[in-house]
Amino acid sequence: MQKRRVASNKGQVLPLIDGDTKGNISGGRIGQKDSGGVTCLAVVIIIVTLIVLALFVGKTSTETFQNDGDLARPLALSEFETVNRALKHSNLVAIYFAASWCPMSTPITNLLEDSFSSVPNLLYMSGNSLQRKELAIVHVSSDTSQSAMEAYLKPGWIAVPFDSNERIALKKHFFVCAQRELKQLGIERKLEIPALIIVDGETHSVITTNGVQDLENEGAKALDHW
């Protein structure tokens, strides 16, 4: 194999190279393929793809949909029948997730009853008629039977029907449930029971998901805070 000298554009003589040396000569320089740049580009593309997928999955997981096979339209609060009735007839809706068997629910339930059961502005249901008030308390039960749920209800509370899909859908919508319900619901829980979520009756926006803490700190005065 013969070695040859390569002349640059400026007449400079470059070092000897073998005839089978892989590369190219451009502008008097010997250039080799830059595999590092290609690798870096591929890594960047992969990272961006993963970020986009993560954002998409995160967005869809935080919404409740019309049914498992329909990912086109999120389920608005107005589509929950019991909650919607309360929203139409009260300025504030307190959605209360609790259960009679839960020892942590008991003091909150008692506090909720003591603070608001005698409030004249509490929305209540008499037969099929609703009277418009300042506050509505909607109970979403985690009890295991309808009789247990009904025995736990307090005066003035509006219960989401035990056998309705609405009761399950609300838990999925707000990611609230008891530990024992996690497997059945298949959600990543954000709040455990008892949980008290306050919703604006006009805008349907969530005012706070920390209603339990507000109630513990302020009692009946929490209504003014909300």
Side-chain angles (χ1 to χ4, degrees):
M1 179 182 301
Q2 294 182 348
K3 295 187 177 181
R4 58 190 176 88
R5 294 185 181 275
V6 179
S8 70
N9 292 340
K10 294 182 180 181
Q12 296 177 342
V13 178
L14 299 179
L16 292 173
I17 59 172
D18 293 333
D20 60 350
T21 299
K22 294 183 179 179
N24 57 71
I25 302 173
S26 177
R29 300 179 59 188
I30 300 177
Q32 295 184 340
K33 295 182 179 178
D34 186 6
S35 60
V38 176
T39 302
C40 290
L41 179 60
V43 171
V44 170
I45 293 174
I46 292 173
I47 292 175
V48 171
T49 302
L50 291 175
I51 292 175
V52 172
L53 288 174
L55 291 175
F56 175 77
V57 172
K59 179 179 179 181
T60 57
S61 65
T62 57
E63 297 173 332
T64 302
F65 295 94
Q66 188 69 23
N67 54 62
D68 292 339
D70 179 12
L71 297 180
R73 184 169 62 88
L75 194 61
L77 282 178
S78 59
E79 297 190 48
F80 295 101
E81 182 178 355
T82 306
V83 172
N84 189 45
R85 293 173 67 193
L87 289 170
K88 286 182 176 180
H89 295 85
S90 60
N91 295 329
L92 292 173
V93 175
I95 306 177
Y96 183 47
F97 298 81
S100 62
W101 52 262
C102 173
M104 296 176 63
S105 294
T106 301
I108 304 303
T109 296
N110 293 337
L111 187 56
L112 191 61
E113 180 183 20
D114 294 341
S115 298
F116 301 122
S117 62
S118 60
V119 174
N121 283 335
L122 180 67
L123 176 70
Y124 65 92
M125 185 166 54
S126 177
N128 293 323
S129 65
L130 288 171
Q131 297 183 359
R132 184 172 182 80
K133 299 292 182 178
E134 180 66 24
L135 174 70
I137 300 175
V138 176
H139 178 48
V140 184
S141 177
S142 286
D143 277 307
T144 57
S145 68
Q146 182 169 336
S147 59
M149 180 195 77
E150 291 175 350
Y152 195 65
L153 285 174
K154 304 302 179 184
W157 289 13
I158 302 171
V160 176
F162 182 81
D163 292 327
S164 68
N165 292 329
E166 181 183 5
R167 188 171 69 96
I168 302 300
L170 279 168
K171 295 176 184 180
K172 291 184 176 182
H173 185 85
F174 289 109
F175 297 90
V176 181
C177 69
Q179 176 69 32
R180 63 178 65 179
E181 297 176 301
L182 282 174
K183 184 176 180 180
Q184 174 192 359
L185 296 175
I187 62 175
E188 184 176 348
R189 183 175 61 173
K190 294 181 179 179
L191 295 171
E192 61 182 356
I193 65 170
L196 186 64
I197 297 175
I198 310 301
V199 179
D200 188 294
E202 181 177 353
T203 66
H204 298 186
S205 60
V206 175
I207 296 175
T208 181
T209 59
N210 295 321
V212 166
Q213 183 177 353
D214 292 342
L215 193 60
E216 290 176 322
N217 293 336
E218 304 179 44
K221 294 182 179 179
L223 188 61
D224 298 328
H225 170 73
W226 298 329

